[in-house]
Amino acid sequence: MDKKKIILVSHGKLSAGMIHSIQMIIGENEDVSSMGMMPGEHYQPMVDAVEEKLKENPDTQYVVVADLMGGSVCNGMTSLLHYPNMKLVAGMNMGLVINLVLSPGVLSDEEINAKVAEANAVNQRIQPEALTEGGSGEEDFF
């Protein structure tokens, strides 16, 4: 494989909104696209559309990022995991998507696992005490 494409899939308009938000930070990127399952729709048309891309472009790696582990959209995409150019990640967030998009080239399973771990590591509850630890509160929080 010589190219990588990211496809964001979600319930509703979350994936389209994610693209809009990441573009504010990293600019437009033709290697990212989105699909959303609207109320009353079934996930199968999205699965079929992704499968078509997988078949038409066997030399392109597709990293599909689903909104929710165990959700119907993600569950539907699991039926495509037998394609060698398909990788599936669940738990879409901005940090993860940006990290996947900005990573050059095709990603190994280990690299994808590391990106997921990095994204999970920054998910934290912010408590007031954390903002003032160390005394004056003037220190940089991050």
Side-chain angles (χ1 to χ4, degrees):
M1 281 178 260
D2 54 3
K3 284 176 44 174
K4 174 186 77 211
K5 300 272 188 183
I6 310 291
I7 303 175
L8 308 180
V9 296
S10 68
H11 295 80
K13 298 178 182 179
L14 177 65
S15 57
M18 182 66 68
I19 287 180
H20 177 76
S21 294
I22 67 165
Q23 285 177 346
M24 292 176 67
I25 296 172
I26 65 171
E28 289 189 28
N29 189 306
E30 63 186 30
D31 294 329
V32 185
S33 61
S34 68
M35 299 178 186
M37 181 183 71
M38 296 303 159
E41 293 181 349
H42 194 270
Y43 62 79
Q44 193 60 49
M46 288 194 320
V47 173
D48 294 343
V50 172
E51 185 171 31
E52 188 175 320
K53 291 177 184 293
L54 293 167
K55 288 179 178 178
E56 288 177 358
N57 305 292
D59 292 332
T60 299
Q61 179 184 62
Y62 287 91
V63 181
V64 178
V65 183
D67 57 354
L68 182 65
M69 178 70 172
S72 57
V73 172
C74 183
N75 289 348
M77 291 296 161
T78 63
S79 68
L80 303 175
L81 287 172
H82 64 279
Y83 285 94
N85 57 335
M86 163 76 166
K87 302 295 182 184
L88 179 61
V89 177
M92 180 189 314
N93 67 55
M94 257 176 100
L96 173 64
V97 173
I98 289 170
N99 210 351
L100 290 170
V101 171
L102 293 181
S103 297
V106 174
L107 297 169
S108 68
D109 289 340
E110 294 77 20
E111 289 169 317
I112 293 171
N113 291 343
K115 304 292 180 210
V116 170
E118 290 169 17
N120 289 338
V122 297
N123 290 331
Q124 297 183 27
R125 176 175 172 233
I126 307 300
Q127 299 184 53
E129 305 83 51
L131 299 174
T132 59
E133 281 182 12
S136 68
E138 294 177 15
E139 291 83 15
D140 186 3
F141 175 62
F142 299 100

